[in-house]
Amino acid sequence: MNTQVKGSIFSVDGPVVKARGMSMANVADQVEVGTAGLVGEIIMMTDEVATIQVYEDTTGIRPGETVVSLARPLSVELGPGLIGATFDGIQRPLERLAEASGDFIATGIKAEPLDRARKWSWKPLVAVGAVLPAGAVLGEVPESSAVVHRVMLPPDVSGK
């Protein structure tokens, strides 16, 4: 996996932005566009030029502003708190966005998709000191009577 790559915007055409200096970035990298850090994704690479689809209003974005590749694909966060919440297409919780900016989503506004302060029940499924393979289920967090989240080791982690 590469490290963050910074480029410079030279073209803005609606939701499509082009940036130079991105030769070490990859197609499908998530990017932060401009000083507002708008969410986007590289959809095409040609030499050092990245063509970016921005998933927010690009009004005010100007040539010369910076684009930063996060060196990972656009993704969403999974975990307790998703059930019953309403999100936009880039997993921003609409209720929290409305609290922060009113009925219209402000450009560049951000909000954590999951409530980090909320406490959840934890049911461990392994004993302390157990030797576990990659992907092993460590425990469960019930979110509702129908949804139980399983907490697992990453696919590249194993051990005691």
Side-chain angles (χ1 to χ4, degrees):
M1 177 181 256
N2 60 4
T3 58
Q4 290 185 349
V5 177
K6 291 184 181 180
S8 180
I9 296 171
F10 70 90
S11 172
V12 180
D13 187 7
V16 178
V17 170
K18 292 187 178 184
R20 287 190 179 93
M22 303 289 290
S23 62
M24 297 304 293
N26 296 298
V27 170
D29 278 1
Q30 181 176 342
V31 294
E32 292 180 344
V33 178
T35 56
L38 304 182
V39 175
E41 178 179 22
I42 298 176
I43 57 172
M44 186 170 73
M45 288 292 304
T46 307
D47 298 321
E48 67 157 354
V49 174
T51 301
I52 299 158
Q53 169 72 50
V54 180
Y55 299 115
E56 301 184 62
D57 180 12
T58 58
T59 301
I61 297 294
R62 303 279 183 256
E65 289 188 59
T66 301
V67 169
V68 177
S69 168
L70 302 182
R72 60 178 163 80
L74 187 65
S75 58
V76 295
E77 185 173 5
L78 303 176
L82 289 177
I83 304 301
T86 307
F87 301 92
D88 71 358
I90 51 177
Q91 202 189 20
R92 295 179 301 180
L94 293 179
E95 186 174 298
R96 278 192 238 137
L97 296 182
E99 290 170 3
S101 71
D103 291 339
F104 297 96
I105 299 173
T107 300
I109 192 169
K110 302 202 179 339
E112 292 292 335
L114 301 177
D115 182 353
R116 303 269 188 289
R118 185 166 176 190
K119 302 292 182 191
W120 296 91
S121 298
W122 164 254
K123 178 183 173 189
L125 297 177
V126 296
V128 172
V131 177
L132 302 173
V137 177
L138 300 174
E140 298 175 336
V141 178
E143 182 168 353
S144 70
S145 60
V147 176
V148 176
H149 299 277
R150 288 174 182 81
V151 178
M152 303 170 67
L153 282 177
D156 58 345
V157 174
S158 63
K160 187 174 181 179

